[in-house]
Amino acid sequence: MWDLASLRSSDLSLTKVIVKNLSSGTRVVLKSHYGYEVEEVKILGKERYLVAHTSDTLLLGDLNTNRLSEVAWQGSGGNEKYFFENENVCMIFNAGELTLVEYGSNDTLGSVRTEFMNPHLISVRINERHQRGMEDNKKLAYLVDIKTIAIVDLIGGYNIGTISHESRVDWLELNETGHKLLFRDRKLRLHLYDIESCTKTMILNFCSYVQWVPGSDVLVAQNRNSLCVWYNIEAPERVTMSSIRGDVIGLERGGGKTEVMVTEGVTTVAYTLDEGLIEFGTAIDDGNYTRATAFLETLEMTPETEAMWKTLSKLALEARQLHIAERCFSALGHVAKARFLHETNEIADQVSREYGGEGTDFYQVRARLAMLEKNYKLAEMIFLEQNAVEEAMDMYQELHRWDECIAVAEAKGHPALEKLRRDYYQWLMDTQQEERAGELQESQGDGLAAISLYLKAGLPAKAARLVLTREELLANTELVEHITTALIKGELYERAGDLFEKIRNPQRALECYCKGNAFMKAVELARLAFPVEVVRLEEAWGDHLVQQKQLDAAINHYIEARCSIKAIEAALGARQWKKAIYILDLQDRNTASKYYPRVAQHYASLQEYEIAEELYTKGDRTKDAIDMYTQAGRWEQAHKLAMKCMRPEDVSVLYITQAQEMEKQGKYREAERLYVTVEEPDLAITMFKKHKLYDDMIRLVGKHHPDLLSDTHLHLGKELEAEGRLQEAEYHYLEAQEWKATVNMYRSSGLWEEAYRVAKAHGGANAHKHVAYLWAKSLGGEAAVRLLNKLGLLEAAIDHAADNCSFEFAFELSRLALKHKTPEIHLRYALNLEDEGKFEEAEAEFIRAGKPKEAVLMFVHNQNWEAAQRVAEAHDPDSVAEVLVGQARGALEEKDFQKAEGLLLRAQRPGLALNYYKEAGLWSDALRICKDYVPGQLEALQEEYEREATKKGTRGVEGLVEQARQWEQAGEYSRAVDCYLKVRDSGSSSLMEKCWMKAAELSIKFLPPQRSLEVIRAVGPQLIGIGKHNAAAELYLNLDLVKEAIDAFIEGEEWNKAKRVAKELDPRYEDYVDQHYKEFLKNQGKVDSLVGVDVIAALDLYVEQGQWDKCIETATKQNYKILHKYVALYATHLIREGGSAQALALYVQHGAPANPQNFNIYKRIFTDMVSSPGTNSAEAYHSWADLRDVLFNLCENLVKSSEANSPAHEEFETMLLIAHYYATRSAAQSIKQLETVAARLSVSLLRHTQLLPADKAFYEAGIAAQAVGWENMAFIFLNRFLDLTDAIEEGTLDALDHSDFQDTDIPFEVPLPAKQHIPEAQREEVRDWVLTVSMDQRLEQVLPRDERGAYEASLVAASTGVRALPCLITGYPILRNKIEFKRPGKAANKDNWNKFLMAIKTSHSPVCQDVLKFISQWCGGLPSTSFSFQ
């Protein structure tokens, strides 16, 4: 123990602390060197270490060694943690910073940032073993993070190593010299790090214990049941292992031995290490090599001992201790090195004896040591520094290094230089080193001799190299032949090929290159000399590379050789998957399909499933793609793919089987996904139910069977209730909205509080009251009252008991707690007894409740008049009258009106009797009673009687009729009329008609005109309303109401009568009747009848109904103007519906009038025709001929109209010409010998692209030119076509280049087509052809010209401006041999005309004959010479 005593200075501050060891009596005086007051003193670390604080410093001390330190320290609130595991240094950890203080030093040794303050994760070495040449050695190793170790030199304050490891480090320690670092990771792997070489070595797996042997660099570790010892850590691969049966717990060293302590069961066993080996390592580290040698002499030769001898030999040589090195090499059995060192030691010893000093500094010794290290240049330099030229030369001669020897002689100008060369040459020849001799002759310029030696040495390649460098030797054909023969014999084909190529023998050179597999040179030579062989050589080159396993390089050569299959195989073999896909995509489907799956398997292994799927699909192996997705667990993708190639039932079986496997493995979510994927959620629901995973079960039911969700919850609630899992059952009951079942469940289990909670939360306003009532009833008596008072439901419970007929319980509760409720309970009990028919008991309860009137009413209700009157008279006299009224009601029900009347009069209630008579329909008795007892109400009663009579159907109507007759008989005609008009009987229209007619008759006969007019106007609409139109009309006519009579006839569809009345009485209404008749026919859809009345209206109705054929048929029978109005409407309708062809047929049938309002229709038909696909064929002739004929008819009509020679006329003439060209082209396409005519017509149409879709026109012209071999024109037209397609995509023609069409009549400014007229596939074909042709240098990319120097198809000569007539057959300009027709401006080229006529005669083509017929009609007849060979 230690005792602390303090000494204070005069100012009473604490300046010194005396620490006394009570056991030994030793004392330590602690004071601040800077005079600070010592504030706090602690003894820590097993009472060995002292820690004290001042205001600005920290005092630390080792009480065993009396080493004290004081370092500057800013207070941190006492949060420092001190670690004293190292005897030389104190480690202080504070706020993520580690500070080291060496005991006895007043400066901090260093500080670093780390979060890992664990003695096993920090290692400090402070001068623990002194080494030769090193004064101070202070190093620190610590963790920067869990995987990174930093090593710091504490003297210099810099980092000397950083180790980044892949796993977490859990232990580290430097060796005592700080040159090696051991660390172990969490995977129990032990690593050794050499700080100087920065190399890391894993030396042991499963390491459970590791420790340096104190005072040495020997390492001890445990691997499972093996004890591992490294006696020489410089050779970590050499480890001594022995078996143990326990765990290493520590090391003990002392008494000349080192023991490893191992616990084996309950005992501890000591395993002794080889102290000698440990001692050797220590001696080496201390530089005492003599001691190390002496120690090794005592050991037998083992692998460990051999390693130590090697280490010692290396160190001894470095330290120039040559005798020790000689002994080491002798021990190792290196006789030559030992003998060489022995000779060296003799020289050194002799020099030492003769001259004194260290003999190892003598130049011969230094040179020999350099020779021993094979550093001959250093040895040479040492000899030459001493001018020992001969010794240097002797050294090289002894080593047979003649070149270096001669070099030394040349450098020093030695007189024996030539002799050396001769001796060297002779030595080479004697030792049969012809190659070196040849090189020597070559260096001396004797080429022939060198070649001879090379050939003799069997080195024709060197001979060939020499020949190739000297032209004079190449001229020696015999020599060259000799060399090439030797090269071929030696299979040096490439060098032979070089030689043959040099002497201009390409055939032999190519053969040699091929034999020597020098395919690069062979291909280069073949390109120049044998081009046809290049493809074969490329294939052979690829085959050779495949044999050499250079598959990657072979791919391109196979491609060059057009060997696609081999290229694919090579790409697959080289795992160049992308390149393989690229090549496969260029092959035909049959070839590629068997390779795609192999590539797909690769991408599947990389989990790039989308690419793999695409490849499997291309290879027609969709099933494999499905299997891939299945194995990868991607069931959605597999299902999507499977549905494309498998039957749905097979897919379902596959998925259900897999789901069942997943279920067996407990992978329920995966199984669910599979079931749901094949639309079998019920199986998944069953699975979850089977395994009692009710939440998942409910989730699936809610998703797939929401209508069954409540039933499922209810079912689960019942199951869980049966299992006693009430809380879970409650959840499901409530989810099913079955709170009552929950309450009953808790009631049956006696859990009233739970039942009450559920009812209150979920049962609405009164449910919890019912539960509380039942709970209280189960308790009874005072307990029930206390419970109900606690819940505040006492009164409600009494009411509930009464409502549920538990009157005994209700009386009990009211008696105990609420006596004022007792009368109410008696009343409710009485009402209950009344309902049960217990009237006497009920009477008593009513009276107890103070409600005798209720008893009276009860007896009245049951018609027990005697009892009712008895109770009323005894307990409630005011109710006697009510009893009489009740008795009267009974008499009324029995139809005993007289008795009832008497009872009501006794009760002084005549008004009630009056009402009863009215309700019974006994109006006479009612009127009697009223007259006798209530005369003031008599008039009102009479009016009410009349109203009731009106309302009451037939019986009421009969009363009204009778009343009307009475008024009529009495001469009250106005009242009689009113009564007749009031008659309404929906069941008898004849009665109403008679009454209304009677009213009208009376009004006409007896009432004033104004009144009679009102009556007729009232009766007329009513008669019309019941379908009596004629009667109404006759009434109207009696008073001269003509229009009303006509309207009545019209409404009754009596059209003839209406017309006759209008005609005879008021002709002004004839048109009125006709107009209504037309409307009637239109509304009824009776168009055929309407035609006879108003044909235009009928035609319009046909149009509205879409009966175009009938419309046109009817219009045909009218005049020309009407016909073409409806033809135009029909054509417009057809065009809107996309039926331009039908619209054209319409005008073919009916002609094309020159109406300006029709011009847009004609233009639209033309535009749709020239834009429609599939018209560039012989089959399209009739369509073109129809268009041509309609336009011809139109132009002929225009000539006769006011539109003659107008811009519109000119435009239609141009359209006619275009239609003629198209029709003629289709006709020519049907005859092989007219294909050039068809091509020329396609070319001629290009001058009209302002009216035609430009892309379609250029495409057809290009394809036609291509078909007849006009490649120049085809290229230019198709190139223009591609430019136009690009312009259509971009939406502008601004980028078009018109240079190819300068000086032609092909227009530049054309409308941009709104869409592509040529399909994508055909556009791609044209693109490929144009690209191919553009590479052909032989093709002249210009349009052909004629004798004018102008483009041959252009009508206008650019140089003169003269315009030629177009040929009617080809559209080309007519320059000579013109055939003119009667119509001005129409002509044909004689050759083309004759060719066309000849084709007609030979083929008898009806379409060509039709073209000829049209030309005759258009041009005013055919030429007089219909055929000419001139």
Side-chain angles (χ1 to χ4, degrees):
M1 294 183 59
W2 296 86
D3 182 37
L4 299 178
S6 61
L7 296 176
R8 294 184 180 274
S9 60
S10 58
D11 60 357
L12 300 179
S13 64
L14 185 62
T15 58
K16 293 182 181 179
V17 176
I18 299 174
V19 184
K20 182 179 179 180
N21 190 326
L22 297 180
S23 59
S24 64
T26 58
R27 297 193 309 164
V28 176
V29 179
L30 180 66
K31 68 175 182 177
S32 171
H33 294 287
Y34 306 103
Y36 295 123
E37 179 182 354
V38 178
E39 297 175 352
E40 182 184 12
V41 181
K42 295 180 182 178
I43 297 177
L44 306 171
K46 299 180 181 178
E47 297 189 348
R48 175 176 174 177
Y49 299 100
L50 185 68
V51 179
H53 285 274
T54 72
S55 59
D56 293 316
T57 61
L58 176 67
L59 290 88
L60 300 166
D62 183 349
L63 297 176
N64 287 0
T65 61
N66 289 333
R67 291 183 295 172
L68 301 176
S69 303
E70 183 176 11
V71 297
W73 193 262
Q74 295 298 321
S76 57
N79 294 322
E80 301 93 344
K81 292 183 180 178
Y82 301 92
F83 296 86
F84 302 102
E85 278 73 9
N86 193 299
E87 295 182 353
N88 298 311
V89 66
C90 178
M91 294 183 285
I92 308 169
F93 186 72
N94 182 35
E97 185 169 3
L98 173 66
T99 303
L100 304 178
V101 179
E102 186 178 2
Y103 298 120
S105 172
N106 291 330
D107 293 313
T108 57
L109 188 59
S111 63
V112 294
R113 297 290 302 177
T114 180
E115 296 295 332
F116 304 92
M117 193 56 221
N118 184 323
H120 296 301
L121 299 175
I122 298 173
S123 179
V124 185
R125 295 296 187 181
I126 308 293
N127 296 329
E128 296 189 20
R129 271 180 38 212
H130 291 283
Q131 290 182 295
R132 186 173 58 188
M134 183 176 290
E135 295 299 326
D136 266 346
N137 183 20
K138 301 178 182 181
K139 293 187 174 66
L140 164 70
Y142 69 97
L143 282 184
V144 177
D145 57 48
I146 59 174
K147 297 182 181 180
T148 307
I149 304 172
I151 307 169
V152 178
D153 188 320
L154 295 172
I155 297 173
Y158 57 86
N159 192 308
I160 58 174
T162 301
I163 307 167
S164 295
H165 195 54
E166 66 273 9
S167 298
R168 180 172 183 169
V169 177
D170 64 4
W171 181 90
L172 61 85
E173 188 171 10
L174 290 163
N175 70 342
E176 293 177 348
T177 60
H179 293 136
K180 307 282 186 182
L181 173 69
L182 275 176
F183 67 91
R184 186 183 70 177
D185 60 28
R186 67 184 303 172
K187 295 181 180 178
L188 301 182
R189 296 178 299 185
L190 184 63
H191 299 265
L192 176 68
Y193 183 76
D194 188 303
I195 297 173
E196 291 182 1
S197 63
C198 299
T199 57
K200 179 176 71 173
T201 307
M202 201 274 287
I203 60 174
L204 190 65
N205 276 316
F206 305 106
C207 175
S208 57
Y209 175 87
V210 59
Q211 188 61 54
W212 294 104
V213 174
S216 73
D217 284 341
V218 176
L219 180 65
V220 175
Q222 181 179 0
N223 166 269
R224 293 177 174 168
N225 292 328
S226 297
L227 178 66
C228 306
V229 183
W230 285 266
Y231 289 104
N232 183 7
I233 200 62
E234 297 294 339
E237 72 280 359
R238 296 184 179 276
V239 56
T240 302
M241 302 182 71
S242 56
S243 297
I244 58 175
R245 290 181 293 176
D247 296 326
V248 177
I249 59 172
L251 288 172
E252 293 183 2
R253 191 174 192 198
K257 63 180 181 179
T258 302
E259 294 179 332
V260 180
M261 310 309 295
V262 180
T263 59
E264 296 183 356
V266 296
T267 61
T268 301
V269 180
Y271 287 82
T272 303
L273 301 183
D274 191 328
E275 188 64 26
L277 294 179
I278 299 174
E279 184 65 25
F280 170 77
T282 306
I284 290 296
D285 288 337
D286 295 342
N288 192 343
Y289 301 141
T290 304
R291 174 181 160 197
T293 305
F295 167 69
L296 289 178
E297 294 280 6
T298 65
L299 302 179
E300 295 182 1
M301 184 60 71
T302 64
E304 292 80 6
T305 309
E306 182 180 352
M308 288 188 279
W309 277 114
K310 286 182 179 179
T311 301
L312 182 58
S313 67
K314 178 182 176 184
L315 296 173
L317 279 176
E318 291 175 355
R320 297 284 182 90
Q321 296 188 22
L322 302 183
H323 289 285
I324 293 175
E326 178 186 345
R327 177 68 188 91
C328 290
F329 286 126
S330 298
L332 290 169
H334 295 172
V335 178
K337 286 187 176 182
R339 181 163 58 86
F340 187 79
L341 278 175
H342 180 72
E343 296 172 355
T344 306
N345 281 328
E346 287 181 347
I347 296 172
D349 293 343
Q350 182 180 352
V351 170
S352 180
R353 287 194 300 272
E354 293 180 359
Y355 303 106
E358 290 289 338
T360 54
D361 292 333
F362 189 56
Y363 79 93
Q364 288 184 353
V365 175
R366 289 188 290 116
R368 289 177 69 85
L369 289 178
M371 292 165 61
L372 185 64
E373 295 175 358
K374 293 184 173 56
N375 193 345
Y376 302 118
K377 281 296 180 181
L378 177 59
E380 175 191 331
M381 182 180 70
I382 294 171
F383 280 132
L384 294 182
E385 284 176 353
Q386 302 296 325
N387 202 25
V389 179
E390 292 287 347
E391 292 183 50
M393 293 170 60
D394 291 343
M395 173 189 71
Y396 281 132
Q397 288 186 51
E398 186 176 353
L399 295 170
H400 298 296
R401 300 174 73 92
W402 289 92
D403 292 333
E404 289 86 343
C405 179
I406 292 171
V408 170
E410 285 180 345
K412 295 299 182 179
H414 199 280
L417 177 61
E418 288 302 323
K419 181 176 181 303
L420 277 172
R421 286 175 174 162
R422 288 195 300 275
D423 291 347
Y424 180 29
Y425 178 75
Q426 189 59 46
W427 178 77
L428 289 174
M429 297 303 295
D430 293 342
T431 56
Q432 297 183 349
Q433 297 186 54
E434 287 86 358
E435 179 184 3
R436 295 290 297 136
E439 291 173 353
L440 186 61
Q441 292 294 335
E442 183 180 351
S443 65
Q444 295 176 2
D446 191 348
L448 285 172
I451 290 171
S452 177
L453 288 169
Y454 286 148
L455 292 175
K456 184 177 180 183
L459 299 170
K462 283 200 169 189
R465 176 188 55 75
L466 181 57
V467 168
L468 288 170
T469 59
R470 299 190 182 182
E471 292 294 334
E472 68 276 10
L473 295 176
L474 280 172
N476 189 338
T477 56
E478 184 178 351
L479 177 65
V480 171
E481 183 65 29
H482 188 47
I483 294 171
T484 54
T485 302
L487 288 169
I488 292 171
K489 185 176 180 182
E491 297 185 354
L492 300 171
Y493 297 111
E494 182 176 0
R495 191 52 64 90
D498 291 340
L499 198 54
F500 278 127
E501 188 174 358
K502 191 73 174 179
I503 63 174
R504 294 181 178 81
N505 189 345
Q507 186 64 46
R508 294 289 302 280
L510 187 61
E511 292 174 1
C512 290
Y513 284 147
C514 292
K515 287 182 179 179
N517 296 322
F519 289 103
M520 180 180 289
K521 292 182 179 180
V523 169
E524 290 176 357
L525 178 61
R527 290 187 195 283
L528 298 173
F530 310 104
V532 295
E533 294 291 322
V534 172
V535 172
R536 180 184 63 80
L537 290 172
E538 289 282 3
E539 182 180 0
W541 194 352
D543 293 341
H544 170 67
L545 290 171
V546 169
Q547 292 174 1
Q548 300 297 314
K549 306 301 182 185
Q550 300 180 31
L551 303 174
D552 193 4
I555 299 171
N556 290 332
H557 297 295
Y558 282 135
I559 292 174
E560 291 290 334
R562 300 185 181 89
C563 296
S564 301
I565 301 301
K566 290 185 176 182
I568 295 167
E569 294 284 358
L572 295 176
R575 303 181 69 79
Q576 293 288 334
W577 309 105
K578 292 184 178 179
K579 191 174 287 188
I581 293 172
Y582 172 75
I583 299 170
L584 286 170
D585 288 343
L586 299 176
Q587 310 306 313
D588 62 87
R589 188 178 184 87
N590 292 334
T591 303
S593 59
K594 56 186 176 183
Y595 293 103
Y596 276 122
R598 290 173 60 184
V599 185
Q601 289 169 4
H602 164 72
Y603 282 103
S605 68
L606 298 180
Q607 298 184 357
E608 295 186 19
Y609 299 116
E610 290 76 10
I611 299 175
E613 177 194 338
E614 180 182 354
L615 295 171
Y616 276 130
T617 304
K618 288 182 178 179
D620 296 328
R621 298 279 286 276
T622 312
K623 183 65 169 61
D624 292 346
I626 297 169
D627 293 341
M628 171 192 73
Y629 279 131
T630 303
Q631 294 170 8
R634 294 195 169 197
W635 297 99
E636 289 82 357
Q637 294 93 327
H639 181 260
K640 181 180 178 182
L641 199 56
M643 292 304 293
K644 297 179 181 178
C645 65
M646 295 174 64
R647 295 184 305 168
E649 54 269 25
D650 295 338
V651 175
S652 296
V653 170
L654 171 66
Y655 273 62
I656 291 171
T657 304
Q658 186 66 30
Q660 290 168 350
E661 289 298 320
M662 292 289 185
E663 181 181 348
K664 291 177 183 177
Q665 299 171 18
K667 298 179 179 179
Y668 303 119
R669 283 303 178 95
E670 290 82 353
E672 175 197 338
R673 287 175 56 199
L674 298 180
Y675 283 133
V676 171
T677 300
V678 294
E679 299 180 357
E680 290 288 350
D682 292 348
L683 295 177
I685 293 169
T686 304
M687 173 188 71
F688 284 130
K689 181 181 178 184
K690 174 182 175 184
H691 297 284
K692 298 187 177 181
L693 298 172
Y694 297 129
D695 290 343
D696 291 311
M697 175 184 172
I698 288 297
R699 174 175 53 80
L700 286 182
V701 171
K703 183 176 181 181
H704 298 285
H705 300 293
D707 54 321
L708 300 178
L709 185 59
S710 294
D711 293 342
T712 305
H713 276 300
L714 184 59
H715 175 73
L716 289 178
K718 292 178 180 177
E719 283 196 2
L720 291 167
E721 180 183 354
E723 295 173 10
R725 297 160 65 180
L726 303 184
Q727 291 290 338
E728 297 176 52
E730 175 190 338
Y731 166 76
H732 289 290
Y733 277 138
L734 293 179
E735 287 295 319
Q737 298 181 351
E738 289 287 342
W739 63 271
K740 291 182 180 179
T742 313
V743 170
N744 290 332
M745 173 184 71
Y746 283 129
R747 280 181 55 201
S748 62
S749 300
L751 299 173
W752 286 101
E753 289 186 11
E754 295 296 325
Y756 180 78
R757 172 183 58 79
V758 172
K760 189 171 185 180
H762 302 281
N766 297 314
H768 67 289
K769 298 178 183 179
H770 179 64
V771 174
Y773 160 75
L774 293 175
W775 188 0
K777 191 174 181 182
S778 69
L779 296 173
E782 294 288 344
V785 171
R786 285 196 298 273
L787 172 66
L788 293 171
N789 277 326
K790 176 183 176 183
L791 299 177
L793 296 174
L794 178 58
E795 189 170 351
I798 293 172
D799 292 339
H800 191 77
D803 290 340
N804 287 276
C805 302
S806 296
F807 295 104
E808 183 179 348
F809 184 51
F811 282 125
E812 181 183 2
L813 292 176
S814 65
R815 177 177 55 79
L816 293 173
L818 293 174
K819 289 184 171 56
H820 68 276
K821 293 281 289 185
T822 303
E824 182 184 342
I825 299 170
H826 279 297
L827 174 61
R828 299 175 74 173
Y829 186 27
L831 293 172
N832 182 66
L833 289 171
E834 180 186 354
D835 291 341
E836 293 177 356
K838 299 175 180 179
F839 303 115
E840 289 77 9
E841 297 175 37
E843 176 190 341
E845 291 297 326
F846 278 129
I847 293 171
R848 289 190 189 104
K851 299 286 185 178
K853 187 174 182 179
E854 296 296 328
V856 172
L857 293 175
M858 173 185 72
F859 286 126
V860 168
H861 179 70
N862 288 282
Q863 298 183 1
N864 189 344
W865 309 111
E866 182 180 350
Q869 193 159 357
R870 174 178 55 79
V871 174
E873 291 173 352
H875 299 283
D876 189 13
D878 293 337
S879 299
V880 173
E882 292 185 16
V883 173
L884 293 173
V885 171
Q887 195 172 357
R889 286 198 188 98
L892 287 171
E893 290 174 1
E894 294 174 358
K895 306 299 182 181
D896 192 348
F897 296 105
Q898 187 176 1
K899 181 180 178 181
E901 180 182 339
L903 289 169
L904 289 171
L905 292 176
R906 280 176 61 193
Q908 298 180 0
R909 302 288 290 275
L912 195 57
L914 180 64
N915 290 335
Y916 283 143
Y917 279 130
K918 284 165 54 178
E919 289 174 3
L922 300 173
W923 288 93
S924 59
D925 292 323
L927 290 169
R928 176 177 58 78
I929 290 293
C930 184
K931 180 178 180 181
D932 293 342
Y933 296 98
V934 198
Q937 298 181 9
L938 182 59
E939 187 176 351
L941 183 63
Q942 289 176 338
E943 292 178 358
E944 184 180 355
Y945 167 59
E946 291 182 1
R947 287 198 299 271
E948 286 297 317
T950 303
K951 291 179 182 177
K952 284 186 177 179
T954 305
R955 293 181 61 190
V957 168
E958 290 174 355
L960 284 174
V961 172
E962 183 62 29
Q963 183 68 40
R965 286 177 182 159
Q966 291 176 4
W967 287 121
E968 183 182 351
Q969 291 171 0
E972 293 288 340
Y973 298 112
S974 179
R975 292 192 175 189
V977 168
D978 290 337
C979 283
Y980 280 128
L981 290 177
K982 289 178 182 177
V983 174
R984 296 287 188 275
D985 186 359
S986 58
S988 176
S989 59
S990 61
L991 175 61
M992 289 190 293
E993 181 185 1
K994 288 179 181 178
C995 291
W996 295 338
M997 291 296 290
K998 187 66 173 176
E1001 179 185 347
L1002 292 174
S1003 68
I1004 293 171
K1005 287 181 178 180
F1006 302 108
L1007 297 183
Q1010 185 63 33
R1011 172 66 174 153
S1012 63
L1013 182 63
E1014 291 175 1
V1015 172
I1016 296 304
R1017 288 190 180 278
V1019 171
Q1022 292 179 9
L1023 289 171
I1024 291 172
I1026 62 173
K1028 301 301 181 179
H1029 300 88
N1030 289 336
E1034 289 174 4
L1035 288 177
Y1036 285 135
L1037 290 175
N1038 286 334
L1039 293 183
D1040 295 328
L1041 297 174
V1042 178
K1043 183 175 186 304
E1044 286 77 355
I1046 291 171
D1047 289 337
F1049 283 131
I1050 289 174
E1051 192 164 346
E1053 299 181 8
E1054 296 284 353
W1055 299 103
N1056 293 329
K1057 292 180 179 180
K1059 288 180 181 180
R1060 187 171 70 252
V1061 168
K1063 183 176 181 181
E1064 294 176 355
L1065 300 180
D1066 196 342
R1068 292 179 301 167
Y1069 290 112
E1070 288 188 83
D1071 292 338
Y1072 176 75
V1073 174
D1074 289 340
Q1075 185 63 34
H1076 277 73
Y1077 185 41
K1078 293 176 187 177
E1079 291 296 327
F1080 167 74
L1081 292 175
K1082 287 176 68 174
N1083 293 334
Q1084 295 296 317
K1086 299 178 178 179
V1087 190
D1088 296 337
S1089 300
L1090 185 60
V1091 170
V1093 179
D1094 188 345
V1095 69
I1096 299 300
L1099 291 172
D1100 290 339
L1101 189 56
Y1102 278 134
V1103 170
E1104 288 178 17
Q1105 295 177 349
Q1107 299 186 45
W1108 290 103
D1109 292 338
K1110 276 210 152 192
C1111 176
I1112 300 301
E1113 179 185 350
T1114 304
T1116 306
K1117 300 172 183 176
Q1118 310 304 315
N1119 60 49
Y1120 186 79
K1121 186 175 180 180
I1122 292 175
L1123 170 64
H1124 277 283
K1125 172 188 172 183
Y1126 290 97
V1127 166
L1129 288 174
Y1130 189 19
T1132 304
H1133 169 74
L1134 289 170
I1135 290 170
R1136 285 176 183 161
E1137 297 294 323
S1140 295
Q1142 294 95 313
L1144 177 62
L1146 203 60
Y1147 282 111
V1148 169
Q1149 180 181 358
H1150 299 289
N1155 298 334
Q1157 57 268 33
N1158 286 10
F1159 287 174
N1160 286 336
I1161 297 175
Y1162 303 144
K1163 291 177 182 178
R1164 178 61 183 272
I1165 292 172
F1166 175 83
T1167 302
D1168 288 351
M1169 278 292 295
V1170 299
S1171 300
S1172 61
T1175 55
N1176 185 18
S1177 63
E1179 292 75 14
Y1181 173 77
H1182 293 291
S1183 297
W1184 290 119
D1186 288 346
L1187 178 63
R1188 177 197 65 195
D1189 293 344
V1190 166
L1191 289 172
F1192 174 69
N1193 178 251
L1194 172 62
C1195 291
E1196 290 297 305
N1197 290 335
L1198 281 169
V1199 171
K1200 305 169 187 174
S1201 72
S1202 60
E1203 294 291 328
N1205 300 320
S1206 66
H1209 185 191
E1210 294 177 3
E1211 185 177 5
F1212 284 121
E1213 287 286 355
T1214 305
M1215 291 181 181
L1216 172 59
L1217 180 62
I1218 293 170
H1220 165 66
Y1221 284 161
Y1222 273 125
T1224 307
R1225 184 182 72 177
S1226 290
Q1229 286 171 337
S1230 65
I1231 301 175
K1232 178 68 175 175
Q1233 64 196 82
L1234 294 180
E1235 62 179 356
T1236 56
V1237 170
R1240 289 191 175 190
L1241 284 165
S1242 295
V1243 172
S1244 297
L1245 284 166
L1246 294 179
R1247 71 173 70 100
H1248 300 294
T1249 46
Q1250 73 275 17
L1251 295 176
L1252 305 177
D1255 59 330
K1256 184 171 182 285
F1258 275 99
Y1259 173 78
E1260 292 174 351
I1263 294 299
Q1266 183 187 28
V1268 296
W1270 301 342
E1271 292 199 350
N1272 287 353
M1273 285 175 42
F1275 174 79
I1276 292 173
F1277 294 155
L1278 292 177
N1279 195 38
R1280 180 69 160 194
F1281 161 69
L1282 294 178
D1283 291 343
L1284 285 165
T1285 60
D1286 293 340
I1288 294 169
E1289 294 291 339
E1290 295 167 3
T1292 178
L1293 293 168
D1294 295 343
L1296 282 183
D1297 178 15
H1298 305 296
S1299 57
D1300 288 336
F1301 302 100
Q1302 294 292 338
D1303 301 332
T1304 70
D1305 56 358
I1306 296 175
F1308 297 161
E1309 300 295 331
V1310 297
L1312 176 66
K1315 64 175 183 177
Q1316 300 282 2
H1317 289 83
I1318 305 302
E1320 176 65 24
Q1322 296 175 15
R1323 297 204 300 271
E1324 286 303 316
E1325 289 177 8
V1326 170
R1327 206 179 304 277
D1328 293 342
W1329 186 83
V1330 169
L1331 182 61
T1332 303
V1333 171
S1334 64
M1335 305 300 292
D1336 190 352
Q1337 301 297 327
R1338 297 171 297 175
L1339 190 67
E1340 187 178 359
Q1341 298 177 5
V1342 294
L1343 292 172
R1345 297 184 175 273
D1346 56 17
E1347 60 199 41
R1348 302 172 297 171
Y1351 164 49
E1352 67 178 15
S1354 178
L1355 298 180
V1356 180
S1359 57
T1360 62
V1362 175
R1363 181 181 183 87
L1365 288 175
C1367 177
L1368 284 172
I1369 300 301
T1370 63
Y1372 266 46
I1374 305 172
L1375 304 181
R1376 69 179 78 82
N1377 297 331
K1378 182 191 300 182
I1379 295 178
E1380 294 188 358
F1381 293 82
K1382 293 180 181 179
R1383 189 165 188 165
K1386 302 293 185 248
N1389 180 278
K1390 182 183 292 185
D1391 296 337
N1392 294 328
W1393 180 256
N1394 290 342
K1395 186 175 184 179
F1396 193 74
L1397 292 179
M1398 178 60 75
I1400 292 173
K1401 289 187 175 183
T1402 55
S1403 67
H1404 303 291
S1405 169
V1407 293
C1408 289
Q1409 291 173 359
D1410 186 64
V1411 170
L1412 205 61
K1413 178 181 176 183
F1414 171 73
I1415 292 174
S1416 173
Q1417 185 181 3
W1418 186 25
C1419 300
L1422 298 178
S1424 56
T1425 305
S1426 60
F1427 189 85
S1428 173
F1429 291 100
Q1430 300 301 317

